[in-house]
Amino acid sequence: MQKYFDIEFWRRVTYVDVTLWLMRAAVIIVVVWGTIGTLIDGRYSNEQWFDFVMFGLTMGGIYALVALGYTMVYGILRLINFAHGDIFMTGAFTAYFVASPLGKSGFLEENLLISMIIICLTAMVTCVIIALTVERICYRPFRSVRSFAPLICAIGASFFIQHSFRGMYGSSVRAYPDVEFFDKLLSIGSFDFPMIQPVVILAALGSMTGLYLIVMKTRMGTAMRATSEDRDTASLMGIDVNRVIIFTFVLGGSMAGIGGVLYAFVFKQVYFFMGFFPGIKAFSAAVLGGIGNIPGAMLGGFFLGTVESVGPALFLDGLGIVAPYQLRDLIAFTMLVMVLIFRPQGLLGERVSQRA
Amino acid sequence: MAHIEVDDIHVYYGNIRALQGISFKVEKGAIVTLIGANGAGKTTTLNALSGILGLREGSIHIGDTNISDFMPHQLIPKGIVHVPEGRRIFARLSVDDNLAMGAFTRNDKAELSKDREYVLEMFPRLRERLDQTAGTLSGGEQQMLAIGRALMSKPDVLLLDEPSMGLAPVLVEQVFNSIIDINKTGVTCMLVEQNAYMALQIASYGYVLEGGRIALEGVAQELAKNEEIKKAYLG
Ligand SMILES: Nc1ncnc2c1ncn2[C@@H]1O[C@H](COP(=O)(O)OP(=O)(O)OP(=O)(O)O)[C@@H](O)[C@H]1O
Ligand SMILES: [Mg+2]
């Protein structure tokens, strides 16, 4: 606070600072104005708000799982793995070929837990194989090249994966099997929601807890954190950086695989382009949380999912915008920009990476 | 046979020549120092030794193994550990995890806990701070951690890059004493220093690096008396 009374501080204020302050003020006014408008209007019932939040958390869990892959790879390679959204798609798509017969034969309904484990494992294995192939072919040869080559390769890999799947399986949408248990409505008081929502949220939280323990407690996990801090010094400790990178892609791919299956059971469909939007949103979630930061990606995912779901009704409706729900994607990206205006380093990111 | 034998190495950064034909030897169990001014190429020499930088020409042998083409992570199994310039501890990891990373390649649990005990005896400050984030340690403690972390690999050869950098005289003394202690257990030490006075006191042999070449070499006590060195490095 004291710095604001210092004349020197005001002399050093630049146009950029002033512009940022104005933008921050504008953002706050719009959000507060819209929220007050919506709440006074009272157009939405408590049940509807509950729906928005539950759906938001469900999507948030999936975004968080996918965001982890972006953030861990960035932490090690300082590279955005643009193909990650499509890797997510390959898992869900391949698992369809297991889920569909399981659904048809009735095994899925009878032995839901076992079936889900089989389906998830299929997706995870697929994602890991594709992720490792992408790393080997697209990233490793260019690792020491300081140019845009790795980025261009990442984008190329993304298109290649999409169009391979389109070529192999066509561009039609395939329906994931219905599961009665997932569609069942649960009620708490006057609020009700389909079973799939808590299932997704809990599965996401469970997987993330597992990942967190691996990263924090195991030797390879610690080596991964050490490598993301200082690759050269890690290698001086006898850590084979290539093995750490492979380990990272395995973890990221597994999370994407689980995320893909959950996504497919929420929307009950898969097609070759399905990875694109979740991929971009999960990437935004990783940036929101502070790219490179693992708890940040988890928080960013849930945060983005919730705001994207609640936001249109809460902020936009009150401003008199019609059909605010059409603007969900807009909200997601506007929010990314907004958070970055307030905290350029992301929610949990560090301002400057410190080096001893 | 010499423990470390560096023969006529040339190292480049892109097109910039940093080392133009350097040769030296370190006998088993010795402390040998490499001194020189800023930018002489001391760090470059150690980085070439540990495989972070590749050689354009020349060779490096440890015992009778040619390690010229080794990757950095292959040196630990050969018993060589490098404490890099500026300590480079893992700032976001705990002190304990930093030590664990020093022992990354080891699976001999019983021996390992003995070595950990040895390190914590040597640097009791680290024991008090095992759960602390390493980035919050003081400069002196970070240097102790960097050395302790390296010892966790139970090395035969310790490469040290300016361990005295940025430390108060008392701490410099303490760090140098621990280097002497480590050497007494049979570890061969290669000490890179700008603090030529201190380095020549504990080393048996020294090399003076100037502009990427060895300008002078000799028994440490004699180098310490050399007029040119006195003028240039000892003030
Ligand atoms: N990454 C790099 N890229 C280009 N040139 C470099 C790089 N690192 C070092 N050099 C150059 O190589 C020469 C030797 O540097 P080096 O770091 O080995 O010196 P040093 O003897 O360790 O110095 P100091 O005592 O300051 O640590 C210097 O001229 C330096 O500018
Ligand atoms: Mg140096």
Side-chain angles (χ1 to χ4, degrees):
Chain A
M1 257 294 119
Q2 204 173 355
K3 71 176 181 185
Y4 297 113
F5 295 111
D6 188 350
I7 189 88
E8 270 307 305
F9 171 79
W10 292 103
R11 271 204 199 114
R12 270 183 279 120
V13 168
T14 63
Y15 284 112
V16 177
D17 291 332
V18 175
T19 316
L20 276 178
W21 286 335
L22 289 177
M23 283 168 82
R24 287 168 187 161
V27 163
I28 293 177
I29 290 169
V30 168
V31 168
V32 171
W33 188 287
T35 308
I36 292 175
T38 308
L39 294 182
I40 288 179
D41 215 23
R43 181 159 347 153
Y44 295 94
S45 64
N46 286 343
E47 287 74 16
Q48 278 169 306
W49 287 121
F50 183 82
D51 272 356
F52 289 142
V53 172
M54 274 308 279
F55 184 71
L57 290 175
T58 307
M59 290 310 293
I62 295 169
Y63 293 155
L65 285 172
V66 183
L68 283 165
Y70 282 103
T71 231
M72 289 190 296
V73 166
Y74 181 85
I76 300 284
L77 293 177
R78 299 289 180 270
L79 167 89
I80 303 300
N81 179 9
F82 266 99
H84 194 59
D86 303 292
I87 291 169
F88 159 91
M89 175 276 290
T90 63
F93 209 121
T94 309
Y96 161 82
F97 295 104
V98 176
S100 181
L102 283 179
K104 287 209 181 90
S105 70
F107 189 83
L108 183 60
E109 296 276 5
E110 282 157 32
N111 302 289
L112 187 58
L113 188 62
I114 301 175
S115 307
M116 284 307 282
I117 291 173
I118 296 173
I119 294 170
C120 278
L121 282 178
T122 313
M124 287 161 82
V125 169
T126 311
C127 287
V128 166
I129 291 173
I130 306 269
L132 290 180
T133 313
V134 170
E135 192 274 325
R136 190 69 192 79
I137 296 176
C138 300
Y139 301 149
R140 196 178 299 185
F142 302 100
R143 206 182 288 154
S144 55
V145 180
R146 278 185 203 286
S147 72
F148 283 105
L151 184 71
I152 305 287
C153 277
I155 295 171
S158 163
F159 281 122
F160 184 84
I161 296 172
Q162 272 174 29
H163 289 280
S164 314
F165 269 69
R166 184 190 199 166
M168 285 189 294
Y169 305 118
S171 52
S172 59
V173 171
R174 287 161 198 251
Y176 248 60
D178 283 314
V179 180
E180 220 173 282
F181 177 74
F182 288 161
D183 294 338
K184 205 161 51 183
L185 280 183
L186 266 178
S187 320
I188 302 177
S190 64
F191 303 118
D192 48 44
F193 50 88
M195 196 63 184
I196 184 76
Q197 292 185 345
V199 166
V200 169
I201 296 170
L202 290 178
L205 286 176
S207 318
M208 285 189 273
T209 310
L211 176 97
Y212 195 71
L213 290 177
I214 291 175
V215 172
M216 297 309 287
K217 302 284 181 211
T218 66
R219 195 191 311 195
M220 248 346 236
T222 312
M224 186 178 135
R225 287 182 289 136
T227 307
S228 87
E229 240 189 84
D230 187 337
R231 199 197 291 182
D232 278 344
T233 305
S235 68
L236 290 179
M237 299 299 111
I239 297 168
D240 182 349
V241 173
N242 276 334
R243 262 182 62 204
V244 171
I245 291 171
I246 288 172
F247 180 74
T248 309
F249 276 87
V250 169
L251 289 183
S254 309
M255 292 297 127
I258 298 172
V261 170
L262 297 178
Y263 187 86
F265 274 102
V266 172
F267 291 100
K268 299 204 177 125
Q269 58 182 35
V270 288
Y271 64 110
F272 77 99
F273 197 62
M274 68 179 272
F276 184 74
F277 273 106
I280 289 198
K281 295 222 179 116
F283 166 63
S284 310
V287 174
L288 267 178
I291 188 101
N293 184 308
I294 290 176
M298 302 178 185
L299 183 67
F302 280 108
F303 190 67
L304 181 75
T306 312
V307 175
E308 169 188 272
S309 171
V310 177
L314 188 60
F315 311 144
L316 298 183
D317 209 282
L319 297 174
I321 294 172
V322 279
Y325 227 69
Q326 312 252 336
L327 298 176
R328 269 184 60 201
D329 294 342
L330 181 78
I331 278 268
F333 296 111
T334 311
M335 194 190 54
L336 176 67
V337 175
M338 273 160 40
V339 168
L340 294 182
I341 290 174
F342 284 97
R343 270 185 79 82
Q345 71 275 36
L347 295 173
L348 298 186
E350 286 154 40
R351 194 167 278 272
V352 226
S353 68
Q354 55 193 27
R355 162 131 306 159
Chain B
M1 195 199 307
H3 202 170
I4 309 175
E5 186 158 356
V6 171
D7 188 30
D8 192 34
I9 57 170
H10 294 248
V11 174
Y12 288 69
Y13 290 104
N15 292 319
I16 307 160
R17 185 159 63 173
L19 299 184
Q20 21 195 336
I22 285 190
S23 306
F24 60 85
K25 279 183 194 174
V26 181
E27 295 300 326
K28 205 170 178 68
I31 301 182
V32 168
T33 183
L34 187 65
I35 54 183
N38 286 119
K42 305 182 297 293
T43 299
T44 307
T45 307
L46 284 198
N47 284 346
L49 255 171
S50 57
I52 291 179
L53 294 171
L55 308 178
R56 186 73 65 91
E57 270 177 60
S59 69
I60 301 170
H61 283 80
I62 296 290
D64 44 18
T65 319
N66 185 344
I67 61 157
S68 308
D69 298 325
F70 273 36
M71 303 273 286
H73 71 265
Q74 295 173 298
L75 289 184
I76 291 270
K78 291 275 164 235
I80 305 157
V81 66
H82 177 173
V83 181
E85 182 173 53
R87 332 188 201 295
R88 304 277 282 267
I89 51 145
F90 301 115
R92 272 177 250 159
L93 269 53
S94 67
V95 169
D96 209 8
D97 280 346
N98 268 273
L99 293 177
M101 286 298 98
F104 178 75
T105 54
R106 295 181 63 175
N107 284 315
D108 47 343
K109 276 220 170 115
E111 279 293 303
L112 184 62
S113 67
K114 260 193 236 161
D115 290 335
R116 184 164 175 277
E117 212 35 49
Y118 166 70
V119 168
L120 295 177
E121 295 276 290
M122 182 178 291
F123 304 116
R125 295 252 208 138
L126 297 183
R127 193 196 296 276
E128 297 159 22
R129 293 169 170 73
L130 279 175
D131 294 325
Q132 195 171 322
T133 312
T136 61
L137 296 179
S138 74
E141 290 159 354
Q142 292 192 4
Q143 186 62 60
M144 293 171 193
L145 178 57
I147 296 176
R149 180 180 65 178
L151 291 179
M152 291 295 286
S153 68
K154 199 160 183 50
D156 305 321
V157 179
L158 187 61
L159 309 173
L160 292 148
D161 197 342
E162 295 203 39
S164 73
M165 188 159 78
L167 298 187
V170 193
L171 280 174
V172 175
E173 189 109 359
Q174 205 178 327
V175 166
F176 274 62
N177 282 336
S178 52
I179 296 172
I180 296 175
D181 289 343
I182 295 163
N183 177 250
K184 277 191 189 135
T185 66
V187 178
T188 306
C189 297
M190 167 103 207
L191 174 62
V192 159
E193 263 300 336
Q194 276 202 54
N195 189 338
Y197 178 73
M198 289 293 281
L200 290 172
Q201 273 192 338
I202 69 166
S204 56
Y205 202 81
Y207 292 86
V208 181
L209 204 56
E210 244 177 60
R213 284 181 209 273
I214 304 277
L216 208 58
E217 63 177 279
V219 176
Q221 282 141 349
E222 278 163 24
L223 283 181
K225 286 185 219 140
N226 184 304
E227 286 305 321
E228 271 176 61
I229 295 187
K230 272 192 186 166
K231 237 189 285 164
Y233 306 111
L234 303 179

